[in-house]
Amino acid sequence: MALINEVQQATRDRPSPGRRSRIAYLFLLPWMAGVLLITLVPMVTSLYLSFTDYRLGDSPRFTGLENYRRMFGDPDFLAAAGVTAKYVFISVPLQLAFALAIAVLLNQGVRGLALYRSVYYLPSLLGGSVAVAVLWRQLFSSTGLVPELAGKLGIQMGSWISEPAHALDTLIILHVWTFGSPMIIFLAGLRQIPEELVEAAKVDGAGAWRRFTSVILPLLSPVVFFNLILQLIGSFQAFTQAYIISAGTGGPSNSTLFYTLYLFVTGFKNFEMGYASALAWILFVVIGMLTAINFVAARYWVHYED
């Protein structure tokens, strides 16, 4: 009510600079309260708990760097880090390449572009859902559609989700399938490239591949960089698909034990909140370092117009 009265008064009179500042802070108050209570306080609390031996229900006991030292001898931590790294460094380049290829095709003036955009974007909306993960588990099970179709082609593949050698592949395929979101961004970037530059290259005798690598791709590099950062961060945080397909175990044989899944099991099944907090901070630091490295490397391959 006080805020409404302030706004009504402000519309009747020209407020002084000090009063305008107070009104601005009143509007910013919900956002600042959210940042403080939902982000900063939990982060500081988590950082403190990462230096303690804290099981849910007990009082935290300060142990210094013990949780961080424990990780180096924890086989599940090493397995989770390896699985996540493999997932990120295979699925992200594949997804971006696939999204860029489809965007280039759609940018050739195809009819029904709005329909294609909607159809290709739909998996991005559904890809992280529980329903799609359940569907994916059924598709790749021993009685699923994929093994059945492969069998008709003479390929005996069995159940991929129960084989350690192929279980992670199903999650990588699922991630690549959700290429719609980066594809839409690539398509918007392609629309911003001046057509006269492409035509000039064509007049100079450049073929389609040369025009793409020498004209289109350099001009599109800021969009590629943007998509790379988004997908990199999102892939490190992947959780739902692995949880559903492995029934929350990360199996078979830890082949789908994503880092976030191990963090969840540690915190909310084993109730080791101190160790789970340390795991969360390591993930935060790794994502931050990789993002910083990408920003530094971007100086050498991302081109911005003057």
Side-chain angles (χ1 to χ4, degrees):
M1 183 60 73
L3 175 62
I4 295 174
N5 292 335
E6 285 280 357
V7 174
Q8 289 176 342
Q9 184 66 31
T11 57
R12 287 194 294 270
D13 307 321
R14 179 182 291 275
S16 63
R19 190 174 182 182
R20 287 202 297 269
S21 297
R22 288 196 297 275
I23 293 173
Y25 283 124
L26 280 173
F27 277 106
L28 287 173
L29 189 59
W31 178 84
M32 290 189 291
V35 170
L36 180 66
L37 297 177
I38 300 176
T39 303
L40 293 182
V41 171
M43 284 185 70
V44 173
T45 304
S46 170
L47 181 61
Y48 167 69
L49 291 178
S50 72
F51 296 106
T52 66
D53 178 14
Y54 175 50
R55 298 184 65 84
L56 207 59
D58 298 336
S59 298
R61 183 172 60 85
F62 188 78
T63 57
L65 296 174
E66 179 56 33
N67 286 327
Y68 294 94
R69 281 195 291 265
R70 174 183 167 184
M71 292 178 194
F72 293 101
D74 182 354
D76 289 335
F77 165 77
L78 298 175
V83 168
T84 304
K86 184 178 179 182
Y87 172 77
V88 171
F89 292 116
I90 293 178
S91 67
V92 170
L94 282 178
Q95 188 197 49
L96 292 182
F98 199 67
L100 179 58
I102 297 297
V104 170
L105 289 176
L106 292 182
N107 196 44
Q108 304 304 312
V110 297
R111 298 179 63 182
L113 178 60
L115 175 62
Y116 284 116
R117 278 192 307 213
S118 302
V119 170
Y120 287 135
Y121 186 67
L122 191 59
S124 293
L125 296 176
L126 303 175
S129 68
V130 173
V132 169
V134 172
L135 172 65
W136 216 253
R137 186 175 62 186
Q138 294 299 322
L139 285 175
F140 284 91
S141 67
S142 58
T143 58
L145 180 62
V146 175
E148 183 179 340
L149 292 176
K152 290 181 180 178
L153 296 174
I155 304 172
Q156 300 302 321
M157 58 180 289
S159 172
W160 277 23
I161 60 173
S162 60
E163 295 182 10
H166 297 298
L168 183 61
D169 296 339
T170 63
L171 295 173
I172 292 174
I173 294 171
L174 174 57
H175 185 78
V176 174
W177 179 62
T178 59
F179 66 91
S181 178
M183 185 272 293
I184 291 292
I185 299 174
F186 278 138
L187 191 56
L190 288 169
R191 292 300 179 93
Q192 301 303 315
I193 295 176
E195 187 63 28
E196 55 268 24
L197 294 179
V198 180
E199 291 298 326
K202 189 184 294 185
V203 171
D204 287 343
W209 178 250
R210 183 64 184 274
R211 292 197 300 274
F212 176 74
T213 56
S214 299
V215 179
I216 296 175
L217 201 53
L219 292 174
L220 197 64
S221 58
V223 181
V224 176
F225 178 64
F226 177 76
N227 271 332
L228 174 64
I229 294 297
L230 284 186
Q231 296 305 318
L232 192 68
I233 295 173
S235 298
F236 269 106
Q237 298 172 334
F239 170 78
T240 306
Q241 302 90 334
Y243 182 86
I244 297 298
I245 288 180
S246 69
T249 64
S253 302
N254 284 346
S255 59
T256 60
L257 185 63
F258 282 10
Y259 194 92
T260 50
L261 178 57
Y262 181 54
L263 195 159
F264 173 81
V265 170
T266 302
F268 295 98
K269 286 190 175 180
N270 300 334
F271 303 119
E272 296 180 275
M273 289 298 179
Y275 190 46
S277 297
L279 291 172
W281 274 96
I282 289 296
L283 178 62
F284 175 77
V285 170
V286 168
I287 292 176
M289 289 177 61
L290 287 177
T291 303
I293 291 171
N294 274 292
F295 269 92
V296 172
R299 299 173 185 171
Y300 303 100
W301 65 274
V302 178
H303 306 281
Y304 294 99
E305 294 184 39
D306 295 332

